[in-house]
Amino acid sequence: MNSIKPTIIPRGEHTISRKGISHNALKVLYRLNTCGYSAYLVGGCVRDLLLGRHPKDYDIATNAHPEDVRRLFRNCRLIGKRFRLAHIIFGKEIIEVATFRTHHKDSHEQHGHSHEGMIIRDNVYGTIEDDVLRRDFTVNALYYNIADYSIVDYMHGMQDINDRMLRMIGDPEQRFTEDPVRLLRAIRFAGKLDLNICPTLEKSMHELSHLLGHVSPARLFQEILKFFQEGPRLKTFRLLLEFQLFDQLFPQTSDFLKQPETITLIESALSDTDDRDSEGKSISPTFLFSVFLWRPILELSKKPAEEDLPAHVMFEKSIRKVLRQQLDRLTIPKRLLMSIHEICFLQYRLTCRYGTAPFRLLEHPRFRAGYDLLIMRAHAGEPVKELCDWWIKFYSGTQEEREELIKAVSETTSPKKKRRRSRKRHKPKVKNDAL
Ligand code: ATP
Ligand code: MG
């Protein structure tokens, strides 16, 4: 057992009030406590409450074992194979209850490796002193004790909250080697909570960015999704760049990051998404994935083809190839891949401004995302200004104005004449530099 002594911050000396805590989380805490177990709020919720933010969810740490928790709550479900967690379900809200956990030197579970039979469940559990040592940052290791409403602070987390400082528990190099996802977590917390990264942490982050390559693509995807689900995205993107982590996540894009138009495109998409988020509009990660991968897709589509294939086939092949390669780094689910594919392929389809095609495109489920990407490409300096202006007019025009716009453009690029001459049935070849 460890002999670290905590600082106890009594009820009157911190800002957490029960009024700010979820009713359901309080219910669980009280029930555990009145049944003789210790029960604490821990992690992000305590940190967020102290920073005056609304917690996303509530985590509880206790000395009750999962089976004990299940006995106490009818609405409880046990999850996880090696380390069992209890989920107490209150409609849409799930309160996660974890038994104090000890740190295992051999533990690879953070890396997604399977360890069947290696650890007997009993020796995974520990005391609160063990539990605190396996947490990542000091600000994530504060425990709110329901027994007396005090905060139990083993790692000077309260001081770091007050100083707005992100500090690793233990030796950063060792902790990053144990679990390189902590590199991404550090960026995410620094970005969203506006925390300064302490100098020793900063130094090892610069030195160890390559470790991200050891993380499974499935876990990386889960982690990167959190970046897009919450802001500020522009700020965290800049931090990812600064610590050479973006390159690790999107290696195909990294070659293009030296080009100002790539940065302009990505940054305007991120800041636009941040704006949408603050206006309460829906956010789709697929739009941002499409933006990140757009430059390598475009570049590949411009490469001379081995076969004489129509432009749209070539373009689609480029999308597929880039997406396939991206899967080596991030396990993007099929449903999202299809959506990214569609948004990128719309960049081709938006060049086809004849007949009824533009009207049909307006009905396309991904039209708005494709249209937004086109506008951002034009702003970023890609040679698509004329196409972009045309679509802006078409999108906001009346039926007659739209028909006029199609007529005007078909005078210069009508494919019909070509088709009549060649009698070929396949789609018109649009030169790739029109994209
Ligand atoms: P948020 O939920 O706002 O993203 P959080 O800190 O609550 O932030 P979670 O992933 O919900 O993050 O994890 C809850 C707590 O579990 C963390 O605060 C931290 O104490 C611990 N934790 C989570 N992931 C790790 C990790 N990879 N290494 C060490 N501790 C971790
Ligand atoms: Mg959390």
Side-chain angles (χ1 to χ4, degrees):
M1 201 169 112
N2 301 295
S3 56
I4 39 171
K5 284 257 170 303
T7 304
I8 308 289
I9 302 145
R11 176 187 192 172
E13 291 176 27
H14 62 74
T15 53
I16 296 186
S17 137
R18 272 167 293 160
K19 282 195 211 103
I21 301 172
S22 138
H23 193 66
N24 295 325
L26 284 173
K27 248 198 232 172
V28 177
L29 287 165
Y30 281 131
R31 171 88 59 93
L32 285 166
N33 200 236
T34 50
C35 292
Y37 299 105
S38 54
Y40 303 84
L41 276 187
V42 66
C45 57
V46 179
R47 176 200 68 210
D48 289 351
L49 288 166
L50 289 169
L51 289 168
R53 297 169 61 96
H54 190 70
K56 215 168 54 184
D57 45 35
Y58 290 84
D59 291 322
I60 290 175
T62 178
N63 61 352
H65 282 203
E67 290 72 20
D68 304 328
V69 180
R70 184 163 50 187
R71 267 195 299 275
L72 293 182
F73 299 92
R74 267 192 305 139
N75 47 340
C76 172
R77 207 181 46 185
L78 297 187
I79 59 152
K81 275 194 194 141
R82 222 204 83 229
F83 189 82
R84 306 200 91 187
L85 293 170
H87 276 179
I88 319 289
I89 300 154
F90 297 91
K92 274 189 185 162
E93 189 177 22
I94 295 177
I95 307 294
E96 190 168 291
V97 181
T99 308
F100 295 138
R101 196 165 166 178
T102 189
H103 177 79
H104 266 273
K105 277 208 185 80
D106 299 332
S107 170
H108 281 247
E109 47 87 38
Q110 302 276 19
H111 305 262
H113 295 186
S114 99
H115 260 236
E116 262 98 43
M118 200 188 108
I119 290 165
I120 305 162
R121 191 159 293 146
D122 277 327
N123 66 14
V124 183
Y125 301 135
T127 60
I128 186 169
E129 288 85 358
D130 297 318
D131 192 82
V132 76
L133 289 172
R134 52 158 285 277
R135 297 193 177 267
D136 46 8
F137 304 104
T138 60
V139 295
N140 286 348
L142 290 161
Y143 296 74
Y144 173 80
N145 189 355
I146 200 65
D148 60 3
Y149 314 119
S150 66
I151 289 177
V152 184
D153 179 6
Y154 285 89
M155 293 291 157
H156 307 293
M158 199 63 167
Q159 186 64 46
D160 288 335
I161 290 264
N162 293 334
D163 298 344
R164 300 194 87 89
M165 185 64 78
L166 191 69
R167 200 187 304 277
M168 182 70 101
I169 294 174
D171 170 44
E173 187 174 337
Q174 186 199 330
R175 305 298 314 276
F176 283 135
T177 311
E178 258 169 32
D179 182 9
V181 159
R182 292 175 184 148
L183 289 157
L184 293 177
R185 290 176 60 86
I187 300 283
R188 192 155 63 80
F189 297 133
K192 86 165 172 177
L193 306 170
D194 202 17
L195 303 177
N196 298 306
I197 301 175
C198 92
T200 47
L201 182 55
E202 186 171 3
K203 185 168 171 286
S204 57
M205 285 174 72
H206 276 298
E207 289 165 0
L208 300 171
S209 59
H210 62 276
L211 289 179
L212 220 53
H214 300 172
V215 182
S216 75
R219 185 143 182 250
L220 277 187
F221 175 75
Q222 290 307 327
E223 208 47 46
I224 203 65
L225 209 54
K226 295 185 191 161
F227 277 83
F228 305 140
Q229 277 161 350
E230 51 189 1
R233 295 159 190 82
L234 177 56
K235 189 172 171 199
T236 40
F237 167 72
R238 286 178 177 163
L239 285 169
L240 284 175
L241 278 189
E242 188 186 329
F243 287 93
Q244 295 89 45
L245 292 167
F246 189 83
D247 305 343
Q248 307 268 343
L249 298 164
F250 295 93
Q252 299 175 94
T253 312
S254 73
D255 287 347
F256 300 97
L257 293 173
K258 287 170 214 96
Q259 300 170 357
E261 55 280 26
T262 309
I263 296 286
T264 310
L265 176 69
I266 293 178
E267 293 205 340
S268 58
L270 290 164
S271 106
D272 195 69
T273 310
D274 281 339
D275 291 346
R276 284 180 62 86
D277 199 6
S278 55
E279 289 161 22
K281 293 184 184 162
S282 67
I283 306 294
S284 140
T286 51
F287 178 72
L288 291 177
F289 277 112
S290 309
V291 169
F292 293 155
L293 295 172
W294 171 247
R295 294 295 299 179
I297 289 171
L298 179 63
E299 217 49 38
L300 190 63
S301 75
K302 282 180 179 169
K303 285 211 172 123
E306 310 109 47
E307 314 128 277
D308 182 25
L309 293 169
H312 72 281
V313 178
M314 287 306 302
F315 190 65
E316 208 160 11
K317 274 185 125 184
S318 309
I319 299 175
R320 277 185 210 287
K321 197 165 172 196
V322 169
L323 288 183
R324 214 180 306 123
Q325 220 164 305
Q326 183 59 42
L327 288 176
D328 290 345
R329 284 302 158 105
L330 302 176
T331 310
I332 306 172
K334 214 171 183 172
R335 183 178 49 84
L336 299 191
L337 277 179
M338 276 166 63
S339 180
I340 300 166
H341 185 121
E342 284 176 334
I343 294 170
C344 292
F345 193 54
L346 271 169
Q347 304 312 299
Y348 169 83
R349 297 187 64 186
L350 289 167
T351 63
C352 307
R353 293 171 285 167
Y354 52 84
T356 55
F359 286 103
R360 276 184 279 124
L361 280 184
L362 290 179
E363 307 300 322
H364 191 288
R366 234 54 71 201
F367 171 79
R368 188 60 213 220
Y371 169 85
D372 286 346
L373 177 53
L374 177 67
I375 293 176
M376 286 179 192
R377 290 171 54 207
H379 281 227
E382 273 190 51
V384 285
K385 191 170 180 325
E386 185 275 327
L387 181 66
C388 175
D389 291 344
W390 188 92
W391 269 104
I392 291 173
K393 283 190 206 133
F394 189 81
Y395 187 49
S396 60
T398 60
Q399 178 72 15
E400 292 83 61
E401 284 166 341
R402 286 173 174 175
E403 278 162 11
E404 276 307 308
L405 281 160
I406 293 176
K407 214 193 279 168
V409 85
S410 67
E411 276 157 21
T412 48
T413 56
S414 172
K416 280 190 181 153
K417 288 176 199 159
K418 248 192 201 170
R419 208 183 285 164
R420 252 187 245 122
R421 242 189 285 136
S422 69
R423 294 190 148 262
K424 280 197 177 155
R425 293 294 300 157
H426 61 64
K427 287 192 182 178
K429 281 193 185 189
V430 175
K431 274 172 77 189
N432 272 3
D433 54 9
L435 285 163

